[in-house]
Every structure is written in C-alpha cells, then in structure tokens.
Amino acid sequence: MNISFLRTEDLTRAASITFDNMRVYYQQFAPAWDVSKVFEATLELENYDIIFQQQVVGVMRLQLNDDCYVLRDLQIIDSAKNKGIGRASLNEAKRRALNANLNTLTLRVFESSPAVAFYERNGFVIQSEDERFFNMIAKIS
C-alpha cells in the first residue's frame, strides 16, 4: 500500500476535511464552530496531508509535548476509510514519536465516537475521561 505523509500546504482544505468529518460533533457540542475556527485551532500543530493513490485522503495533526507526542487529529475522508490508511497513519505517528525519543503517544476522542474501538484495536487504552472525552495513551517502542 502506497501511503505518504506530506506537510500540509493547504490548511483550509485540511480544515474542511476535519469539519466535514466532525460536523455532527460540532453541531452537538460547538455549534459556533466552522471551517475558519478549525483552521485557526490547527495553525500551530504539525499538519500532514495523508496521500493515498496520489490523492489527499485525509489529515493527521501532531503536537510535540515534553514527555509525549499527541495525536491531535486523524481525519480520513469517507471514500478512503477501511483501506488500512488509519492504521498506517497511527504507525506513522508512532514512528515520529520514537524519532523524537518519546515512547508515548496520546490522543483525545469523543466517548461516543466509533474511533474509540479503532484506537483500542491499535494499542491505545483509556487513561482518563471527562464528560465528553476519553484521553487515551499508547506505549510504543
């Protein structure tokens, strides 16, 4: 499978992918959010286009903290789901964490998201939770 990760040049397109995928959650929890708010919230992150068959099929956002790498966002367009792209993206995030000499990758996901099961299948465990989110962690080596 030929998947690559390139620094995002079109942050508006990346924000649109995120907004489209997360629309149901924004409507429920943050109705004032739109593509421009997603754009602003992600400017300071490491934004990567996910390329599959020479097309942008998603976006992955990472943030380097002192003691861990944070997967801030992983969004894949519907037509590209269930092709191993999500797993490849997680492996890329883990590789980047190891390259930064870190052995933990963390993320935050809505408790009601079907992505929770995906993350659990890929080595993440729930570390804590609040009224809406699971904070998940994966030890990597």
Side-chain angles (χ1 to χ4, degrees), residues 107-118:
L107 61 85
R108 190 171 161 104
V109 62
F110 280 103
E111 289 180 355
S112 59
S113 173
V116 172
F118 165 74

Side-chain angles (χ1 to χ4, degrees), residues 46-60:
E46 294 177 31
N47 289 271
Y48 297 96
D49 287 338
I50 303 169
I51 313 295
F52 176 66
Q53 296 180 341
Q54 301 169 346
Q55 294 185 21
V56 176
V57 297
V59 61
M60 177 174 67

Side-chain angles (χ1 to χ4, degrees), residues 61-78:
R61 295 185 180 93
L62 300 168
Q63 183 176 27
L64 180 61
N65 285 353
D66 292 335
D67 60 346
C68 69
Y69 231 63
V70 181
L71 178 61
R72 290 286 305 267
D73 213 358
L74 177 57
Q75 301 295 333
I76 299 168
I77 62 173
D78 285 342

Side-chain angles (χ1 to χ4, degrees), residues 2 19-21 26 35-36 45 49 51-52 54 58 60 63 65-67 81 83 91 95 98 106 127 131-132 135 139:
N2 189 9
F19 186 78
D20 290 345
N21 275 9
Y26 290 136
V35 172
S36 66
L45 303 176
D49 287 338
I51 313 295
F52 176 66
Q54 301 169 346
M60 177 174 67
Q63 183 176 27
N65 285 353
D66 292 335
D67 60 346
K81 290 184 178 174
K83 297 180 184 331
N91 288 339
R95 185 190 69 75
L98 288 173
T106 64
Q127 185 177 34
E131 66 279 352
R132 286 186 244 177
N135 297 300
K139 297 290 184 186

Side-chain angles (χ1 to χ4, degrees), residues 114-127:
V116 172
F118 165 74
Y119 291 126
E120 288 177 328
R121 283 192 311 273
N122 285 280
F124 285 83
V125 295
I126 297 169
Q127 185 177 34

